[in-house]
Amino acid sequence: MSTIYDVAKAAGVSPKTVSRVLNGDAPVKAETAKIVHAVIAELGYAPSSAARAMRSNKSGLIGLITGAISVDASQPDTTGLPDLFIVQGVQKAMETSGKTLLIADSGGRPDRVPGLMRTFEQHRVEGIIYVADHHRSVSLPPVSAQTRLVLANCYDDTGTPCILPHDRRGQEMLIADLIAKGHRRIAYLTLNAELDATRLRTQGYRDALSAAGISYDPELVIVAGIGTTDQDAEVQILWDAIDRILSLDVPPTVICFGNDQMAMRAYGILRSRGLNLPDDISVTGYDNYRTITQTLYPTLTSVELPYHAMGVRATQLLLRMIDDADDVPVAPVLVSGPVQSGQSVRTMPTPITKLTSIGRMTQ
Amino acid sequence: MSTIYDVAKAAGVSPKTVSRVLNGDAPVKAETAKIVHAVIAELGYAPSSAARAMRSNKSGLIGLITGAISVDASQPDTTGLPDLFIVQGVQKAMETSGKTLLIADSGGRPDRVPGLMRTFEQHRVEGIIYVADHHRSVSLPPVSAQTRLVLANCYDDTGTPCILPHDRRGQEMLIADLIAKGHRRIAYLTLNAELDATRLRTQGYRDALSAAGISYDPELVIVAGIGTTDQDAEVQILWDAIDRILSLDVPPTVICFGNDQMAMRAYGILRSRGLNLPDDISVTGYDNYRTITQTLYPTLTSVELPYHAMGVRATQLLLRMIDDADDVPVAPVLVSGPVQSGQSVRTMPTPITKLTSIGRMTQ
DNA sequence: GAGAGGTATGACATCGGTGTCATGACATCG
DNA sequence: CGATGTCATGACACCGATGTCATACCTCTC
């Protein structure tokens, strides 16, 4: 690769003048600039960012750590897909910043993270984004004082700035939507009870019921995920839970599942019991995993887990923090995703009295 | 961040001695080394790779370009997922190399690629991997002579080294597997006819038939993908194709679909026609998109699209090319994935004569 | 005991940019 | 017409590593 000296010599000027042409930080005669540009094009010269970084002490690099190849048991068959959407969001938001993204994968082994961070420090990254594969708490090694750090899809107990999915509101909006469609008996078959997502979404479920004046019935909420890679066991648990729900004295008109995959399995299970979707029973998922929600028949109502948006937000936050060291948020940034309506939810026939009153109201 | 001079001063030695301790390229008294290490730990010193890169002319960086956020119409709802598995493979294979991965996303716009390549050249990457979202031909801007380039999931007409999925053999193995399970009438509902994958897999389908002495019946092969984002249209095409296949005089015992999503849709369509899987009709997909194949009931037989392995191979190839500039493959590297057997394929009852003969053979 | 060879260390130049300062050629102004 | 200011450009140092060469000390050998 040619250097600025090669360009200078070929153009018959000093290296400094070439530098000025490149950076436009001082006046250069138009004719000189033209010659320099021609030489640059001819030689295919590109200024070395290593040399620039040394002089300016700014690398123009952002580091990103994922645990994508994670073997975390609680999300066995998504195998790290979700966090890749976050990475896409990060890339998208980085595009216009002029920074370049360094990426490293912990392979699901937390003990590797310090090494990756050290590599990033060697490259003098201006900031690091740590992406987790699902909403959870993490504990990271300390970084040098001038390296900014943002957590995406996770949080720690030292108050590091973080971007989290608004699980509570997501489930609340979904339930509110169901209530608006006339459902009153709403079952919720949750993921693994230990997950933050489960705790928060269950809270959101109760928020929505409470806002509509519907009393909470514990019989309608069952943990139906166990966090294992054993597919057969998962199916069994799900089958049992659905059995229990359907044999209640007053069965629900809709079953909400902890994620789209559970809902996808439920399609098969419910149909094998002779139930039609959504006429006999309505179903919802969570995550809006498009491959599932859009491809299933009928299309699945779900809640968007805003991974892409979280990546964008994390990046914007980090770039702001790099720009202004004091601009640090004090609380987690919660990002909501919309309810994605599919055809898996039936709008319940409304009692006459209500119908007429609604009819009047909308006129 | 502290420098090697800070360390040297604090340890009471010269910078060069610190360098020697770090690189172990010359003898250093054990006691001196101990002091230096202590100081390094205390200051949290990490050597600047920018400075190293300048001196050594080796950046230790590898560039990767994806088109992940691609809006390519032929794979509407996977939205760039597959190539992310390739990226995972690349990361995995890079782990032990000591190189660091620079990543950029073209956002599906080819006109951005030259700019991304220039950024990579500024960072003096030692090699570039270009990843496509599906098997196809590409045309990239030229790179500087000493930058190695490897294409993954795509090829060009200038003979750039490339890694491709072995679509032909994949489909062949699948069909051979079906034949081994006693199927003779095998339908194939393909993706969009313009795709390389369709052409190659159709060839593989014919290879397998031919190897088993089964004559090719064109009525059994229908293009059932159109390459649009219109989901309803896709479903309609698929529905029609299945109709045509099932109303043949001698209908097939198994239908192979162009990918797992088509197969997933077919589950619904076939069931709505009162057919049981796999008793009345067997079904296969392609891609082994685990979220689908493992979650569907019954689990779907598919062919692994070896994205992860392709990423690994691409990286290994690139690292070899960086190591030895002459070590360039002359032909595309084809990577096969195994047939992933699910419960969506029925083993056909074998005629008595054959059964006994097989029984004898295996004893 | 002088020279040879090994060990441990430091001085200095260099990689490719850019910040600082200096300089020469003009134009403008009082 | 000399002083001042602007434009255009170049010389030089510096960022943080490391390769080259030099040096001081020690041990071994003839």
Side-chain angles (χ1 to χ4, degrees):
Chain A
M1 176 64 73
S2 45
T3 74
I4 201 170
Y5 296 95
D6 301 330
V7 175
K9 190 180 292 183
V13 297
S14 76
K16 182 68 216 190
T17 296
V18 177
S19 172
R20 283 192 264 256
V21 171
L22 285 170
N23 298 290
D25 54 354
V28 174
K29 218 201 291 183
E31 198 192 351
T32 310
K34 208 176 113 191
I35 296 173
V36 169
H37 275 128
V39 171
I40 288 175
E42 196 196 348
L43 295 182
Y45 165 75
S48 152
S49 35
R52 278 187 167 157
M54 256 184 80
R55 197 67 178 75
S56 68
N57 221 15
K58 278 182 191 164
S59 64
L61 296 172
I62 302 288
L64 187 149
I65 298 181
T66 75
I69 313 179
S70 169
V71 288
D72 176 47
S74 65
Q75 300 209 344
D77 39 11
T78 56
T79 44
L81 273 180
D83 50 346
L84 291 177
F85 287 114
I86 299 181
V87 175
Q88 285 190 346
V90 170
Q91 291 182 331
K92 181 85 177 172
M94 199 92 76
E95 258 171 27
T96 55
S97 70
K99 314 270 186 207
T100 308
L101 191 61
L102 272 179
I103 197 165
D105 196 307
S106 70
R109 267 165 294 188
D111 55 300
R112 284 228 189 119
V113 173
L116 302 179
M117 291 232 177
R118 240 172 42 88
T119 302
F120 283 169
E121 299 222 309
Q122 291 189 0
H123 285 283
R124 301 290 189 270
V125 295
E126 298 173 30
I128 295 178
I129 299 176
Y130 183 91
V131 175
D133 60 340
H134 70 277
H135 187 162
R136 70 166 167 203
S137 123
V138 296
S139 168
L140 296 181
V143 295
S144 87
Q146 70 270 29
T147 308
R148 309 288 149 225
L149 176 63
V150 169
L151 307 177
N153 214 19
C154 53
Y155 57 94
D156 66 10
D157 51 15
T158 65
T160 306
C162 61
I163 310 286
L164 295 172
H166 202 329
D167 283 303
R168 181 169 176 172
R169 186 189 291 169
Q171 189 76 27
E172 182 191 1
M173 291 190 304
L174 174 66
I175 303 297
D177 204 59
L178 297 176
I179 293 172
K181 289 201 165 71
H183 293 271
R184 291 294 175 270
R185 291 286 286 172
I186 301 173
Y188 184 23
L189 270 54
T190 75
L191 295 171
N192 187 355
E194 279 71 45
L195 297 176
D196 287 303
T198 298
R199 181 174 45 81
L200 292 164
R201 291 180 197 167
T202 304
Q203 193 56 52
Y205 167 88
R206 299 187 65 159
D207 292 347
L209 290 186
S210 152
I214 303 173
S215 66
Y216 171 72
D217 180 353
E219 282 192 324
L220 287 173
V221 177
I222 303 180
V223 173
I226 47 177
T228 162
T229 52
D230 182 346
Q231 300 285 326
D232 292 338
E234 288 282 0
V235 170
Q236 191 54 50
I237 298 267
L238 187 59
W239 197 281
D240 291 348
I242 290 176
D243 260 354
R244 244 171 77 197
I245 283 292
L246 292 181
S247 55
L248 288 178
D249 291 340
V250 188
T253 56
V254 54
I255 308 180
C256 301
F257 293 90
N259 65 20
D260 293 335
Q261 284 180 69
M262 284 174 67
M264 180 172 167
R265 288 204 176 94
Y267 269 48
I269 295 172
L270 292 169
R271 278 181 174 140
S272 77
R273 301 184 57 125
L275 295 173
N276 282 322
L277 304 180
D279 298 329
D280 299 327
I281 184 102
S282 296
V283 166
T284 70
Y286 205 107
D287 295 356
N288 193 20
Y289 199 168
R290 287 183 179 71
T291 303
I292 294 178
T293 57
Q294 299 304 300
T295 311
L296 276 177
Y297 179 79
T299 55
L300 178 63
T301 291
S302 189
V303 181
E304 175 105 5
L305 249 186
Y307 284 128
H308 193 276
M310 285 167 58
V312 171
R313 292 291 292 275
T315 307
Q316 291 170 338
L317 174 57
L318 184 66
L319 292 174
R320 272 219 319 276
M321 285 167 58
I322 289 170
D323 212 48
D324 173 8
D326 300 326
D327 189 359
V328 177
V330 292
V333 177
L334 298 179
V335 183
S336 298
V339 173
Q340 171 73 36
S341 287
Q343 292 149 0
S344 64
V345 172
R346 177 185 176 210
T347 299
M348 303 299 283
T350 318
I352 296 295
T353 53
K354 286 208 173 177
L355 186 64
T356 51
S357 93
I358 287 176
R360 268 193 215 116
M361 284 170 67
T362 54
Q363 283 190 342
Chain B
M1 176 64 72
S2 46
T3 73
I4 200 169
Y5 296 96
D6 302 330
V7 176
K9 191 180 290 182
V13 297
S14 75
K16 182 68 214 188
T17 296
V18 177
S19 171
R20 283 192 265 256
V21 170
L22 286 170
N23 299 290
D25 54 354
V28 174
K29 220 201 291 183
E31 196 193 351
T32 310
K34 207 176 115 191
I35 297 173
V36 170
H37 275 128
V39 171
I40 287 175
E42 195 196 348
L43 295 183
Y45 164 75
S48 153
S49 34
R52 276 187 167 160
M54 252 183 83
R55 197 68 180 73
S56 68
N57 221 14
K58 279 182 191 165
S59 63
L61 295 173
I62 301 288
L64 188 151
I65 299 182
T66 75
I69 315 178
S70 169
V71 288
D72 175 47
S74 65
Q75 300 210 345
D77 38 10
T78 56
T79 46
L81 272 179
D83 51 346
L84 291 177
F85 286 115
I86 299 182
V87 175
Q88 286 190 345
V90 170
Q91 291 181 331
K92 181 85 177 172
M94 199 92 76
E95 259 170 26
T96 54
S97 70
K99 314 269 184 208
T100 308
L101 192 61
L102 272 179
I103 198 166
D105 196 308
S106 69
R109 266 163 296 187
D111 55 299
R112 284 226 191 120
V113 174
L116 302 179
M117 292 236 178
R118 241 171 42 88
T119 302
F120 283 170
E121 299 223 310
Q122 292 189 1
H123 285 283
R124 301 292 188 266
V125 296
E126 298 173 28
I128 296 179
I129 299 177
Y130 182 90
V131 175
D133 60 340
H134 70 277
H135 186 162
R136 70 167 166 200
S137 122
V138 295
S139 168
L140 297 181
V143 296
S144 87
Q146 69 270 30
T147 308
R148 309 288 149 225
L149 176 62
V150 168
L151 307 178
N153 214 20
C154 54
Y155 57 94
D156 66 10
D157 50 15
T158 66
T160 306
C162 62
I163 310 284
L164 295 172
H166 202 329
D167 284 303
R168 182 170 174 172
R169 184 188 292 169
Q171 189 74 27
E172 182 190 0
M173 291 190 304
L174 174 66
I175 303 297
D177 206 59
L178 296 176
I179 293 172
K181 289 202 166 71
H183 293 271
R184 291 296 175 269
R185 290 286 286 171
I186 302 171
Y188 184 23
L189 270 53
T190 76
L191 296 171
N192 188 354
E194 280 70 44
L195 297 176
D196 288 302
T198 298
R199 182 174 46 80
L200 291 164
R201 291 180 198 168
T202 304
Q203 193 57 51
Y205 167 87
R206 298 187 65 159
D207 292 346
L209 290 187
S210 154
I214 302 173
S215 66
Y216 170 71
D217 180 353
E219 281 193 326
L220 287 172
V221 178
I222 303 180
V223 174
I226 47 175
T228 161
T229 52
D230 181 346
Q231 301 282 328
D232 292 340
E234 289 281 357
V235 170
Q236 191 55 50
I237 297 267
L238 187 60
W239 196 282
D240 291 348
I242 290 176
D243 260 353
R244 245 170 76 194
I245 283 293
L246 293 181
S247 55
L248 288 177
D249 291 340
V250 188
T253 55
V254 53
I255 309 180
C256 301
F257 292 90
N259 66 18
D260 293 336
Q261 283 179 68
M262 284 175 68
M264 180 173 169
R265 287 204 177 96
Y267 271 48
I269 294 173
L270 292 169
R271 278 179 175 141
S272 78
R273 301 184 57 125
L275 295 173
N276 281 323
L277 304 180
D279 298 328
D280 299 326
I281 184 102
S282 296
V283 166
T284 69
Y286 205 105
D287 295 354
N288 193 21
Y289 199 168
R290 287 186 178 68
T291 305
I292 294 179
T293 57
Q294 300 303 301
T295 312
L296 276 177
Y297 178 80
T299 55
L300 178 63
T301 291
S302 189
V303 180
E304 175 102 7
L305 249 187
Y307 285 127
H308 193 276
M310 285 167 59
V312 172
R313 293 292 291 276
T315 308
Q316 292 170 339
L317 174 57
L318 184 66
L319 292 174
R320 272 220 318 277
M321 286 167 59
I322 290 171
D323 212 49
D324 172 7
D326 300 326
D327 191 0
V328 177
V330 292
V333 177
L334 297 179
V335 183
S336 298
V339 173
Q340 170 74 36
S341 287
Q343 291 149 0
S344 64
V345 172
R346 178 184 174 210
T347 299
M348 302 299 283
T350 317
I352 296 294
T353 53
K354 285 208 174 179
L355 185 64
T356 51
S357 96
I358 287 176
R360 269 194 215 116
M361 284 170 69
T362 54
Q363 281 189 346

Coordinates of all heavy atoms in Angstrom, one line a residue, chain B residues 13-14 17 20 27-29 32 54-55 124, chain C residues 7-17:
Chain B
V13 N 13.4 0.7 33.6 CA 14.2 0.1 32.5 C 13.9 0.9 31.2 O 13.1 1.8 31.2 CB 13.7 -1.4 32.3 CG1 14.0 -2.2 33.5 CG2 12.2 -1.5 32.0
S14 N 14.5 0.4 30.1 CA 14.2 1.1 28.9 C 12.9 0.5 28.2 O 12.6 -0.6 28.5 CB 15.4 0.9 27.9 OG 15.4 -0.4 27.4
T17 N 13.3 -2.8 26.7 CA 13.3 -4.0 27.6 C 11.9 -4.4 27.9 O 11.6 -5.6 27.9 CB 14.0 -3.7 28.9 OG1 15.4 -3.4 28.6 CG2 13.9 -4.8 29.9
R20 N 10.8 -6.3 25.0 CA 11.3 -7.7 25.1 C 10.5 -8.6 26.0 O 10.3 -9.8 25.7 CB 12.8 -7.7 25.4 CG 13.6 -7.2 24.2 CD 15.1 -7.5 24.5 NE 15.8 -6.3 25.0 CZ 16.6 -5.5 24.2 NH1 16.8 -5.8 23.0 NH2 17.1 -4.4 24.7
P27 N 16.5 -12.5 25.5 CA 16.6 -12.8 26.9 C 16.5 -11.6 27.8 O 17.0 -10.5 27.6 CB 18.0 -13.5 27.0 CG 18.7 -13.0 25.9 CD 17.8 -12.8 24.8
V28 N 15.7 -11.8 28.9 CA 15.6 -10.7 29.9 C 15.7 -11.4 31.3 O 15.2 -12.5 31.5 CB 14.1 -10.1 29.8 CG1 13.9 -9.1 31.0 CG2 13.9 -9.4 28.5
K29 N 16.4 -10.7 32.1 CA 16.7 -11.3 33.5 C 15.3 -11.5 34.2 O 14.4 -10.7 34.1 CB 17.5 -10.3 34.3 CG 18.6 -11.1 35.2 CD 19.0 -10.3 36.4 CE 19.8 -9.1 35.9 NZ 20.4 -8.3 37.1
T32 N 14.0 -8.7 36.3 CA 13.6 -7.6 35.6 C 12.2 -7.9 35.0 O 11.3 -7.0 35.1 CB 14.5 -7.3 34.4 OG1 15.9 -7.3 34.9 CG2 14.2 -6.0 33.7
M54 N 1.9 -0.1 12.6 CA 2.7 0.8 11.8 C 4.1 0.3 11.6 O 4.6 0.3 10.5 CB 2.8 2.2 12.6 CG 2.0 3.2 11.9 SD 2.2 4.8 12.7 CE 3.7 5.3 12.0
R55 N 4.6 -0.2 12.7 CA 6.0 -0.7 12.6 C 6.1 -2.0 11.8 O 7.0 -2.1 11.0 CB 6.5 -1.0 14.1 CG 8.0 -1.1 14.2 CD 8.6 0.3 13.9 NE 10.0 0.2 14.1 CZ 10.9 -0.3 13.1 NH1 10.3 -0.9 12.1 NH2 12.2 -0.3 13.3
R124 N -6.1 -1.3 6.9 CA -5.0 -2.2 6.4 C -5.4 -3.7 6.8 O -4.5 -4.4 7.3 CB -3.7 -1.9 7.0 CG -3.2 -0.5 6.6 CD -2.8 -0.4 5.1 NE -2.2 0.9 4.8 CZ -2.8 2.0 4.4 NH1 -4.1 2.0 4.2 NH2 -2.1 3.1 4.1
Chain C
dT7 P 23.3 -17.1 26.0 OP1 22.6 -18.3 26.7 OP2 22.8 -16.7 24.7 O5' 23.2 -15.9 27.1 C5' 23.8 -16.0 28.3 C4' 23.7 -14.7 29.0 O4' 24.5 -13.6 28.5 C3' 22.3 -14.1 29.0 O3' 21.9 -13.7 30.3 C2' 22.4 -12.9 28.1 C1' 23.8 -12.4 28.3 N1 24.4 -11.7 27.3 C2 25.0 -10.4 27.6 O2 25.1 -10.0 28.7 N3 25.6 -9.8 26.5 C4 25.7 -10.2 25.2 O4 26.2 -9.5 24.3 C5 25.0 -11.5 24.9 C7 25.0 -12.0 23.5 C6 24.4 -12.1 26.0
dA8 P 20.4 -13.4 30.7 OP1 20.2 -13.9 32.1 OP2 19.5 -13.9 29.7 O5' 20.3 -11.8 30.7 C5' 21.2 -11.1 31.7 C4' 21.1 -9.7 31.4 O4' 21.9 -9.4 30.2 C3' 19.7 -9.1 31.1 O3' 19.5 -8.0 32.1 C2' 19.8 -8.6 29.7 C1' 21.3 -8.3 29.5 N9 21.7 -8.4 28.1 C8 21.4 -9.4 27.1 N7 21.9 -9.2 26.0 C5 22.7 -8.0 26.1 C6 23.5 -7.3 25.3 N6 23.7 -7.6 24.0 N1 24.1 -6.2 25.8 C2 23.9 -5.8 27.1 N3 23.1 -6.4 28.0 C4 22.6 -7.5 27.4
dT9 P 18.1 -7.2 32.1 OP1 17.9 -6.8 33.5 OP2 17.1 -8.0 31.4 O5' 18.5 -6.0 31.2 C5' 19.5 -5.1 31.6 C4' 19.8 -4.1 30.6 O4' 20.3 -4.9 29.4 C3' 18.7 -3.3 30.0 O3' 18.7 -2.0 30.7 C2' 19.1 -3.0 28.5 C1' 20.3 -3.9 28.4 N1 20.4 -4.6 27.1 C2 21.2 -4.1 26.1 O2 21.9 -3.1 26.2 N3 21.2 -4.8 24.9 C4 20.5 -5.9 24.6 O4 20.6 -6.4 23.5 C5 19.6 -6.4 25.7 C7 18.8 -7.6 25.4 C6 19.6 -5.7 26.8
dG10 P 17.6 -0.9 30.4 OP1 17.5 -0.1 31.6 OP2 16.5 -1.5 29.7 O5' 18.4 0.0 29.3 C5' 19.7 0.5 29.6 C4' 20.3 1.2 28.4 O4' 20.5 0.3 27.3 C3' 19.3 2.3 27.8 O3' 20.1 3.5 27.5 C2' 18.8 1.6 26.5 C1' 19.9 0.8 26.1 N9 19.6 -0.4 25.3 C8 18.7 -1.4 25.6 N7 18.6 -2.3 24.7 C5 19.4 -1.9 23.7 C6 19.7 -2.5 22.4 O6 19.2 -3.5 22.0 N1 20.6 -1.7 21.7 C2 21.2 -0.5 22.1 N2 22.0 0.1 21.3 N3 20.9 0.0 23.3 C4 20.0 -0.7 24.0
dA11 P 19.3 4.8 27.2 OP1 19.8 5.8 28.2 OP2 17.9 4.6 27.0 O5' 19.9 5.2 25.8 C5' 21.3 5.1 25.5 C4' 21.6 5.4 24.0 O4' 21.3 4.2 23.2 C3' 20.8 6.5 23.4 O3' 21.6 7.2 22.5 C2' 19.6 5.8 22.7 C1' 20.3 4.5 22.3 N9 19.4 3.3 22.2 C8 18.5 3.0 23.2 N7 17.8 1.9 22.9 C5 18.3 1.5 21.7 C6 18.0 0.4 20.8 N6 17.1 -0.5 21.1 N1 18.6 0.4 19.6 C2 19.5 1.3 19.4 N3 19.9 2.4 20.1 C4 19.3 2.4 21.2
dC12 P 21.0 8.5 21.8 OP1 22.2 9.4 21.5 OP2 19.9 9.1 22.6 O5' 20.4 8.0 20.4 C5' 21.2 7.1 19.7 C4' 20.5 6.6 18.4 O4' 19.7 5.4 18.7 C3' 19.5 7.7 17.9 O3' 19.7 7.8 16.5 C2' 18.1 7.1 18.2 C1' 18.4 5.6 18.1 N1 17.4 4.7 18.8 C2 17.1 3.5 18.2 O2 17.5 3.2 17.1 N3 16.2 2.7 18.9 C4 15.7 3.1 20.1 N4 14.9 2.3 20.7 C5 16.1 4.3 20.7 C6 16.9 5.1 20.0
dA13 P 18.9 8.9 15.6 OP1 20.0 9.7 15.0 OP2 17.8 9.5 16.4 O5' 18.3 8.0 14.4 C5' 19.0 6.9 13.9 C4' 18.1 6.0 13.2 O4' 17.3 5.3 14.1 C3' 17.1 6.7 12.2 O3' 16.9 5.9 11.1 C2' 15.8 6.7 13.1 C1' 15.9 5.4 13.9 N9 15.2 5.4 15.2 C8 15.2 6.4 16.1 N7 14.5 6.1 17.2 C5 14.0 4.9 17.0 C6 13.2 4.0 17.7 N6 12.8 4.3 18.9 N1 12.9 2.8 17.2 C2 13.4 2.5 16.0 N3 14.2 3.2 15.2 C4 14.5 4.4 15.7
dT14 P 16.1 6.5 9.8 OP1 16.8 6.1 8.6 OP2 15.9 8.0 10.1 O5' 14.7 5.8 9.9 C5' 14.7 4.3 9.8 C4' 13.3 3.8 10.2 O4' 13.0 4.0 11.6 C3' 12.2 4.6 9.4 O3' 11.5 3.8 8.6 C2' 11.3 5.1 10.6 C1' 11.7 4.2 11.7 N1 11.5 4.8 13.1 C2 10.9 4.1 14.1 O2 10.5 3.0 13.9 N3 10.8 4.8 15.3 C4 11.2 6.0 15.6 O4 11.0 6.5 16.7 C5 11.8 6.7 14.5 C7 12.3 8.1 14.7 C6 12.0 6.1 13.3
dC15 P 10.7 4.4 7.3 OP1 11.3 3.7 6.1 OP2 10.8 5.8 7.4 O5' 9.3 3.9 7.6 C5' 9.0 2.5 7.7 C4' 7.7 2.3 8.5 O4' 7.9 2.7 9.9 C3' 6.6 3.3 8.0 O3' 5.7 2.7 7.1 C2' 5.9 3.7 9.3 C1' 6.7 3.2 10.4 N1 7.2 4.3 11.4 C2 7.0 4.0 12.8 O2 6.5 3.0 13.2 N3 7.4 5.0 13.6 C4 7.9 6.1 13.2 N4 8.3 7.1 14.1 C5 8.1 6.4 11.8 C6 7.7 5.4 10.9
dG16 P 5.3 3.5 5.8 OP1 4.7 2.6 4.9 OP2 6.5 4.3 5.4 O5' 4.2 4.5 6.3 C5' 2.9 4.0 6.7 C4' 2.1 5.1 7.2 O4' 2.7 5.7 8.4 C3' 1.9 6.3 6.3 O3' 0.5 6.7 6.4 C2' 2.8 7.3 6.8 C1' 2.7 7.1 8.3 N9 3.8 7.6 9.0 C8 5.2 7.7 8.6 N7 5.9 8.2 9.6 C5 5.1 8.4 10.7 C6 5.4 8.9 12.0 O6 6.4 9.3 12.4 N1 4.2 8.9 12.8 C2 3.0 8.5 12.4 N2 2.0 8.6 13.2 N3 2.7 8.1 11.1 C4 3.8 8.0 10.3
dG17 P -0.2 7.4 5.2 OP1 -0.8 6.4 4.4 OP2 0.7 8.4 4.7 O5' -1.4 8.1 6.0 C5' -1.3 9.5 6.3 C4' -1.4 9.8 7.8 O4' 0.0 9.5 8.2 C3' -1.6 11.2 8.1 O3' -3.0 11.4 8.4 C2' -0.8 11.5 9.3 C1' 0.2 10.3 9.4 N9 1.6 10.7 9.3 C8 2.5 10.7 8.3 N7 3.7 11.1 8.5 C5 3.6 11.4 9.9 C6 4.6 11.9 10.7 O6 5.8 12.2 10.5 N1 4.1 12.2 12.0 C2 2.8 11.9 12.4 N2 2.5 12.2 13.7 N3 1.9 11.5 11.6 C4 2.4 11.2 10.4

